[in-house]
Amino acid sequence: MERRRSRSPRAAPTRNPLTQKPYSSNYTKLLKDRKSLPVYEALLQLENLLKLHQVIILQGETGSGKTTQVPQYLAGLQKKVACTQPRRVAAMSVAKRVAEEMDVKLGEHVGYSVRFDECSSESTLLKYLTDGMLLREAMKHPTLDQYDIIILDEAHERTLATDILFGLMKEVLQKRRDLKVIVMSATLNADKFQHYFEGAPLLSVPGRLFPVEVFFTQVAEEDYVAAAVKTVMQIHAFEDPGDILVFLTGEEEIETACRNIKKEANKYGESVGKLLVIPLYSTLPPSAQQKIFEPAPGPNTKNIPGRKCIIATNIAETSLTIDGVVYVVDSGLSKQKVYNPRMRVESLMVSPISKASAKQRAGRAGRTQPGKCYRLYTEETYRSELQETTHPEILRSNLTSVVLTLRVMGIDNLVKFDFMDPPAPETMMRALEILNFLGALDDEGDLTELGSLISEFPLDPELSKILITSERFKCSDDILTLCAMLSVQNPFLRPKESGEVADKAKAQFAHQDGDHLTLISVFSAYIREGQRQDWCSHNFINPRSMRAAAEIRDQLLVKFNKLGLQVLSEERGRSENIRKCICSGFFTQVACKEKSSIYATLKEKQCVAIHPSTTLAFRPEWVLYHEYILTSKNYIRTVSIINPIWLLELAPHYFELEGFPDSQGKRQLESLKKSRAKNKK
Ligand code: CDP
Ligand code: MG
């Protein structure tokens, strides 16, 4: 009986059983807050349910304490717990918070793991990780024996990796009767999860939302960023105290909005309260992300209370809860992945959110008191243009990486894999085909040695492939740099007001053979100049991108060495070797000039133009591109010159040319082939 009580969430020992140290005062303070969270009451019930069931669905309003309380409670029972998050920002910030709540050092009993950043140790009981990282762990340990309990959080988001984990869990649960799985989601379609995990009980935590008054605009807004700025200023000038949360779509417009709001607020002077404007998006460093939890500024000289205003991407929709928000400004948009398997193009596009998302966003205003939500779109748009819910990501993604992961885990029959929503067969076919051309799968669809090597790197298969091939082309040093640079945000800044100066700065790094080599030059210069921030700002380079690239490069190098690959660099023929090496992975992304500056992609015959950001001085006959951008005009970005002969040498199977549409490029390749055949004779 006694033991039972000490396990209950209400029991409060004075010493931390994990560290044997007395609890700090901060612990006691946080504990009080924690006890008021709706989830707190349900913890014991959850523990009891877990004794009877392998899978439990837990649903509760955002902010009810699911992510912070449930995992730490279970870790307190001496269970090894993994809790997934769709976003790295959420994984890192929640881990930090929970370490504080448990009064332990981050990285010890509580840790996190996100791509290129692992913060955990032998003693880690609770690990927050991105869903993608858990999937990677499952490649190494297919039954995930390192954990007793796996929590799939934010399940309603239906990210690609979470969806794969669902199917994987079903298989692992069969093999490991001791494993427990908790699926946690906001109050959305929990019945779908229950249905999928047949017989899993649903535990619902009662929400505590205050009413939120919703306003639509009367007429459609031309410029939603400007409209957001205006709305924030109106709230700030005329509404009662309370913080503001604005939803926009990406870094650039968030920074613009922040600048403009600060500018406007300055105009008002002391007639309005102090306004603390904070951006929030995924590429911000953790220290900057932490700012959102800072308290709002105090009253000004005229005793008008201050407020904070957070301008965020949809990170703030469900995965991070910011207390004190009373006003929400919703652009109705977010960046979403779209994939067209026929064109093999995956891109991020600013698209309308779903009604469910709009409701979640509005709900952010009613956490602590009644709130208001200003939608920057009309009621008509809401009714006729917004879908009920967002399509699961698996239906709009390139699956190459996922299919390889599944193969590595030994899941061979993809048709039998229990997808909650099965992806289009065409998308699966494309993935298998590409993996075969890359040499990761053989003609029977079985994993090759190269395939398992490719899967070792936390990169897209094409990038891993070029990294591995770099040994053969004696350019590993440069390809390591390139892979790192292609994994971070575009390093070239181009503020509107100083576009020309920025272009000049960029021209210093321009390499005549293309943008890939330009990226490598920038990185070399950054290292040569001692990785200095002032050098970056002087040259319109994003220091964050560079720091991230340096870190990623180090990690790739460690992995590279561990796999027994050799770092080789040869000055002779350097540019050609690098570009050949890139061709060995990205041979599907090539285009040939049709006329003047119009190119056609080879396999799909799409008309494209080279993006104006290129450092190429002229328009060469053949190019390889890294990215295809769908806008009003179709662009290819990050482009380098190639020699079509390399394509025939490096990917002969792909360039058998049978299914290719007729084009300038195809005809050239055909005649090249003929003359090669003749020469051989
Ligand atoms: O997961 P769910 O949305 O149900 O809630 P949660 O993320 O566990 O948040 C519970 C509470 O912890 C909220 O009041 C948050 O504001 C707070 N929290 C925090 O103060 N700092 C964090 N880094 C994370 C959560
Ligand atoms: Mg949560």
Side-chain angles (χ1 to χ4, degrees), residues 398-588:
N398 175 346
L399 296 180
T400 314
S401 205
V402 158
V403 169
L404 182 62
T405 306
L406 290 172
R407 275 288 195 277
V408 173
M409 290 188 293
I411 294 164
D412 292 330
N413 193 340
L414 296 176
V415 181
K416 279 208 184 134
F417 189 75
D418 194 352
F419 292 104
M420 192 175 286
D421 284 284
E426 196 185 356
T427 311
M428 289 289 238
M429 284 309 298
R430 286 281 181 242
L432 288 165
E433 211 177 75
I434 292 282
L435 289 169
N436 178 239
F437 287 129
L438 284 171
L441 301 179
D442 62 20
D443 291 345
E444 270 67 59
D446 293 326
L447 189 68
T448 62
E449 215 169 295
L450 177 61
S452 30
L453 211 50
I454 286 178
S455 75
E456 289 281 343
F457 292 98
L459 296 170
D460 280 341
E462 292 87 350
L463 277 177
S464 301
K465 164 94 189 256
I466 68 169
L467 200 47
I468 294 159
T469 319
S470 69
E471 200 184 27
R472 178 177 140 207
F473 286 103
K474 299 197 171 53
C475 56
S476 350
D477 244 331
D478 287 317
I479 297 291
L480 277 163
T481 301
L482 180 66
C483 287
M485 289 297 282
L486 289 173
S487 301
V488 300
Q489 286 274 106
N490 177 11
F492 296 107
L493 298 172
R494 197 176 187 281
K496 269 202 192 99
E497 14 358 310
S498 36
E500 272 178 39
V501 198
D503 290 342
K504 267 204 192 120
K506 184 173 174 181
Q508 310 167 79
F509 308 108
H511 191 288
Q512 57 181 12
D513 293 336
D515 300 313
H516 294 86
L517 278 129
T518 302
L519 284 174
I520 299 172
S521 328
V522 173
F523 187 84
S524 311
Y526 171 71
I527 297 295
R528 204 169 48 237
E529 297 291 335
Q531 315 194 16
R532 274 163 33 226
Q533 171 110 19
D534 63 321
W535 177 84
C536 289
S537 33
H538 187 73
N539 288 290
F540 292 88
I541 303 286
N542 186 343
R544 265 200 314 270
S545 299
M546 300 312 292
R547 268 198 302 275
E551 216 162 273
I552 292 173
R553 192 184 186 285
D554 285 346
Q555 300 207 15
L556 290 175
L557 180 60
V558 170
K559 189 93 211 177
F560 198 82
N561 288 328
K562 225 188 229 166
L563 293 171
L565 294 162
Q566 282 188 53
V567 181
L568 300 171
S569 324
E570 193 174 82
E571 205 39 50
R572 195 164 47 95
R574 173 172 169 262
S575 161
E576 181 168 322
N577 282 338
I578 291 173
R579 286 173 296 135
K580 270 188 178 170
C581 182
I582 302 170
C583 273
S584 75
F586 291 92
F587 49 83
T588 61

Side-chain angles (χ1 to χ4, degrees), residues 67 153-154 318:
T67 308
D153 198 1
E154 305 282 340
T318 60

